[in-house]
Amino acid sequence: MTAVTVGASVALALGGCSVIGDALAGDAAQPVRDASGVITEEGDVDAMALRIGDCLTLDWEDPDAETVEVWTVHVTPCKAAHESEAYAATSVAGDSYPGEDAVLDQSEDFCMSEFASFVGMEWESSELDFTYLYPTVESWKQLDDREILCIANDPAGGVVGSLAQAQR
């Protein structure tokens, strides 16, 4: 996936699930989940294995970079300290990749529209941010990746439990 910092007045945006190297080689780690699908063990996993409700830490080599290729993400049980939680998902429609700008626009619009329902207040008034994972042209073509995954983020970190209805 690619990470894009959209600016101080707009949310942080993570992009594209391009886990191509690991996924095509069959080496991508999968989260350890209980029977209900809840993550039970901390670890670095295939970014495309994330689901709504998963808790994670956004950690990449160059947090100041405008775009970053992310192959894995660090997940943790939500009862342990973390900074982020996946909260909504949708698919990019169409048979051909619509272009990164179009995917970014759709991702930002969708995640912003879902933010208030999840957090319990509008993004503009919240101390929380959001980010999103979106398909790259490579993951679209090679992995049939169509998912946009929205992630709520507390820049202060140290979240224990869910950010759902945090109202802050």
Side-chain angles (χ1 to χ4, degrees), residues 5 37 39 48 52 65 93 101-102 108-109 117-118 134 144 165-166:
T5 302
I39 290 177
M48 290 185 67
I52 294 171
D101 287 343
E108 187 170 328
D109 291 348
S117 297
F118 178 69
Y134 64 91
D144 198 32
Q165 299 306 306

Side-chain angles (χ1 to χ4, degrees), residues 38-81:
V38 173
I39 290 177
T40 59
E41 291 184 24
E42 180 177 353
D44 293 333
V45 302
D46 177 343
M48 290 185 67
L50 286 176
R51 299 179 188 168
I52 294 171
D54 287 350
C55 294
L56 59 145
T57 298
L58 301 176
D59 184 23
W60 51 82
E61 291 180 21
D62 187 357
D64 296 324
E66 227 174 271
T67 59
V68 177
E69 183 92 357
V70 178
W71 298 58
T72 59
V73 293
H74 190 80
V75 297
T76 187
C78 292
K79 64 184 177 183

Side-chain angles (χ1 to χ4, degrees), residues 12-139:
L12 171 67
L14 284 183
C17 295
S18 79
V19 189
I20 297 165
D22 287 346
L24 294 180
D27 294 335
Q30 297 297 305
V32 178
R33 299 178 184 277
D34 66 16
S36 67
V38 173
I39 290 177
T40 59
E41 291 184 24
E42 180 177 353
D44 293 333
V45 302
D46 177 343
M48 290 185 67
L50 286 176
R51 299 179 188 168
I52 294 171
D54 287 350
C55 294
L56 59 145
T57 298
L58 301 176
D59 184 23
W60 51 82
E61 291 180 21
D62 187 357
D64 296 324
E66 227 174 271
T67 59
V68 177
E69 183 92 357
V70 178
W71 298 58
T72 59
V73 293
H74 190 80
V75 297
T76 187
C78 292
K79 64 184 177 183
H82 59 280
E83 65 185 37
S84 304
E85 181 178 350
Y87 68 90
T90 192
S91 294
V92 178
D95 293 328
S96 60
Y97 192 71
E100 187 173 35
D101 287 343
V103 174
L104 285 169
D105 288 345
Q106 181 182 349
S107 299
E108 187 170 328
D109 291 348
F110 174 74
C111 293
M112 187 170 290
S113 72
E114 296 295 312
F115 186 88
S117 297
F118 178 69
V119 172
M121 65 188 307
E122 297 296 322
W123 173 78
E124 296 84 357
S125 302
S126 178
E127 64 189 48
L128 303 177
D129 273 335
F130 70 88
T131 193
Y132 42 85
L133 307 178
Y134 64 91
T136 63
V137 67
E138 294 87 7
S139 67

